[in-house]
Amino acid sequence: MSGLLERIAVGVDEGRLRPLDRALADWCLRHGGTPAVALAMVLANRALEDGHTCLQIPEPGPALPGERPFMAADAFIEALTGSPLVGGPEAACPLILDQDRLYIERYWRYETRLAARLNTLAATPPAPVDVTGLLPGGADFDYSRVADGEPHWQAVAAFTAERHQLCVISGGPGTGKTYTVVRLMWRLIRAALQRGDAPPVIRLAAPTGKAAARMMESIRDGLTAMNLDAESQAACPQQASTLHRLLGFRQGSVRPRHDADNPLPADVVIVDEASMVDLPMMAKLAEALPDHCRLVLLGDRYQLASVESGSILAELCDAGGVNVYSPAQRQAGGELLATLPADTPSEPLPLRDHVVTLQTSHRFARDSGIGRLASLVNAGDVDGTIRLLQATHPDLAYSSDSSERALDALCDEQAQHYLQLQQVTDPAQALTLIEQRRLLTATRVGPSGSDQLNQRISARLAHHSGAFEPGQRDYHGRPVIITRNDYRAGLFNGDTGIMLRDAEGNLRVWFRAEQGLRRLLPSAIPHHETVYAMTVHKSQGSEFDHVTLLLPEGGSTSPTRELLYTGITRARQSLCLTAGEDAVREAVGRQTLRGSGLALRLQISSR
Ligand SMILES: Nc1ncnc2c1ncn2[C@@H]1O[C@H](COP(=O)(O)OP(=O)(O)OP(=O)(O)O)[C@@H](O)[C@H]1O
């Protein structure tokens, strides 16, 4: 493997590799590493950047992007063994080799610590649950929409979260995750008050400020609809925070205030949009829970995983299967689970009693184009997806033309909508207008990337309205999205605002806030961008009435099934998909597979 640095230098020149790859390899070689170790360091770092927790050493052998394998996988593992820079589990080395998985040391620790904590939570003896209120005719769940012979999965989810310290509730859009946790909270509070105990301290959190605000809004609506008595109402959480804030991260620090030595003051922690939580954050959260605390994770197993490393929610769901339970769980659920088909005799899944998958969307009708499209994409049904797209549905439009001319027409259409903003001076009305529709795209760069689309739409608006110059940064009617958390300003990654001129002619930026609206000077808002179009990744945790989703043709980063599904399910009322048939086929057929050892570390815990 001589000449590694030279080969990397060529890769950097050709744009296949980054200067960082060269620096990492160089560092390894200067610190006693062999070329194999230097390659291992480069590939492990690249794996992390691609969202993997570790490098699953590939067969037939490890290779730099665009090159043939340097050596066979077995020989590579042997070459790493004994290096001072590579150790086995628990070693204090920059790289950890754990069987055929290679980790950057910190990530091996996150993974093993998270698995250990989850195993402890899952192994806690189940609590007895009074299922009376959960059954048909009980006070807690309405059975009028449940099909005959089907369990009420929302009631099963509440039962599971009461019975176990660890519970994952997965469901697509509108399947009632919030509806369920509102009832779960009420049951927990009511049971405590009936026992004469203090109500449990329930903390609500989400990975982004936007998702936290949406979670609180849905929970508030749900609580209002339930019309609780004043005491129960007061015991319900009044706020949802970001995980950063919940754990008490200080600006610029990776160590939170709450950890195993200073656990969170909470009896129940409920995390929404858990698919967006990465491995380091999930490990820190799990460690900061006090021993008795319940952890309830809500999310959609089929959505895109976190932008950073790990796909924790999907892995936990895989470790739980889809609504298969142990005999003990079925017995404890009694009538609640009586209609389930007999248990299959396959190998029991480690988290089978801890994961509930909600099945019915209360947002989309059974024949809704958006709902059906989402299901077909999830199922990986390529032909079914294409057939559906070619049929007519009131809520779904499809165009296979993603040519330059089609992109132009798309940008014109978007600009026509946003032209209305030039006449609007009321910030609430302007915010509603920008939240109604969104152009989503798979990537940030390239002709159909969000950067260029935003420029094209802005240029058209400048031309049509004559109100500002093309290329002008700040102008009346400019929608902006925050791209970095700023705790001092109270603005978070993903928050959207609108720039409007006030009566004195000064530009101000308006955001939705807990109590109404906030007004800020353009210079006072943290990192932000114009947002007519955004990537599907950025749209996670948000929904819009009308979505136009664009998939690029070819390109370096091909869209995956998860990306397509996430884009589709951002639409509440209508979806227009613009993508060549080949791009759709490719995306539906390509699933995200992330290297991780978490699943292997989860133990059978069901009793
Ligand atoms: N069992 C039910 N009976 C009647 N209405 C329901 C039921 N479950 C959910 N809903 C209604 O369906 C809508 C969506 O529910 P909810 O917001 O809880 O879903 P969600 O899974 O949290 O959605 P999202 O994916 O947007 O986070 C809400 O208006 C809710 O009141």
Side-chain angles (χ1 to χ4, degrees), residues 164-202:
H164 297 289
Q165 245 187 297
L166 173 66
C167 175
V168 179
I169 304 175
S170 171
T175 47
K177 300 178 288 294
T178 317
Y179 184 93
T180 304
V181 293
V182 167
R183 279 150 186 80
L184 167 69
M185 293 195 305
W186 179 45
R187 283 179 56 84
L188 293 170
I189 291 166
R190 188 180 58 190
L193 295 177
Q194 280 170 356
R195 288 193 305 268
D197 292 344
V201 176
I202 303 174

Side-chain angles (χ1 to χ4, degrees), residues 111-455:
E111 187 178 280
T112 47
R113 277 161 36 189
L114 174 62
R117 197 68 191 92
L118 293 176
N119 282 331
T120 306
L121 286 177
T124 310
V129 180
D130 177 0
V131 295
T132 322
L134 301 171
L135 296 174
D140 302 344
F141 283 88
D142 170 12
Y143 273 70
S144 62
R145 299 192 188 184
V146 178
D148 274 351
E150 266 281 300
H152 192 315
W153 292 114
Q154 296 173 335
V156 174
F159 161 75
T160 306
E162 277 179 72
R163 181 167 153 84
H164 297 289
Q165 245 187 297
L166 173 66
C167 175
V168 179
I169 304 175
S170 171
T175 47
K177 300 178 288 294
T178 317
Y179 184 93
T180 304
V181 293
V182 167
R183 279 150 186 80
L184 167 69
M185 293 195 305
W186 179 45
R187 283 179 56 84
L188 293 170
I189 291 166
R190 188 180 58 190
L193 295 177
Q194 280 170 356
R195 288 193 305 268
D197 292 344
V201 176
I202 303 174
R203 306 292 299 269
L204 306 174
T208 65
K210 175 108 192 169
R214 220 168 72 80
M215 178 188 198
M216 196 60 236
E217 200 181 304
S218 308
I219 286 189
R220 211 173 277 133
D221 289 350
L223 288 171
T224 307
M226 284 183 70
N227 207 6
L228 299 182
D229 62 277
E231 194 179 9
S232 304
Q233 187 84 36
C236 288
Q238 307 298 319
Q239 218 187 0
S241 61
T242 60
L243 284 167
H244 269 91
R245 197 185 281 281
L246 179 79
L247 295 180
F249 278 93
R250 275 153 286 213
Q251 201 140 24
S253 165
V254 291
R255 290 181 72 96
R257 188 152 48 87
H258 292 294
D259 56 17
D261 296 328
N262 178 27
L264 275 168
D267 302 308
V268 183
V269 170
I270 302 174
V271 180
D272 198 9
E273 300 288 353
S275 60
M276 292 165 72
V277 184
D278 63 18
L279 171 65
M281 182 60 92
M282 196 64 97
K284 287 169 191 172
L285 170 68
E287 287 195 325
L289 300 176
D291 287 344
H292 70 281
C293 185
R294 273 172 222 278
L295 175 62
V296 182
L297 301 177
L298 310 176
D300 184 347
R301 67 195 297 167
Y302 300 114
Q303 262 195 41
L304 275 174
S306 71
V307 179
E308 311 293 338
S309 61
S311 46
I312 312 300
L313 185 83
E315 285 187 77
L316 297 185
C317 287
D318 286 347
V322 179
N323 299 336
V324 282
Y325 302 107
S326 69
Q329 177 102 330
R330 293 163 70 110
Q331 195 177 6
E335 226 185 293
L336 197 60
L337 291 168
T339 52
L340 269 189
D343 215 1
T344 46
S346 59
E347 192 71 7
L349 291 156
L351 293 184
R352 61 180 169 168
D353 286 350
H354 301 269
V355 178
V356 180
T357 306
L358 303 181
Q359 305 281 344
T360 311
S361 175
H362 294 269
R363 178 177 315 151
F364 302 126
R366 255 179 217 285
D367 58 351
S368 125
I370 301 173
R372 284 175 59 201
L373 181 63
S375 308
L376 289 165
V377 168
N378 256 347
D381 184 344
V382 177
D383 293 335
T385 300
I386 299 294
R387 268 199 306 277
L388 183 89
L389 288 173
Q390 287 165 345
T392 309
H393 301 274
D395 59 345
L396 187 60
Y398 173 58
S399 163
S400 59
D401 182 4
S402 56
S403 64
E404 194 43 36
R405 228 183 34 199
L407 278 187
D408 259 341
L410 200 72
C411 291
D412 270 334
E413 186 192 299
Q414 297 291 319
Q416 282 305 324
H417 172 77
Y418 291 110
L419 208 50
Q420 304 173 69
L421 282 169
Q422 293 304 319
Q423 319 307 326
V424 176
T425 50
D426 174 41
Q429 195 189 346
L431 283 166
T432 303
L433 259 171
I434 63 166
E435 288 156 1
Q436 270 171 356
R437 73 165 57 205
R438 195 57 53 86
L439 173 57
L440 302 182
T441 179
T443 59
R444 198 188 158 99
V445 293
S448 56
S450 57
D451 286 351
Q452 284 199 31
L453 291 171
N454 278 320
Q455 281 168 20

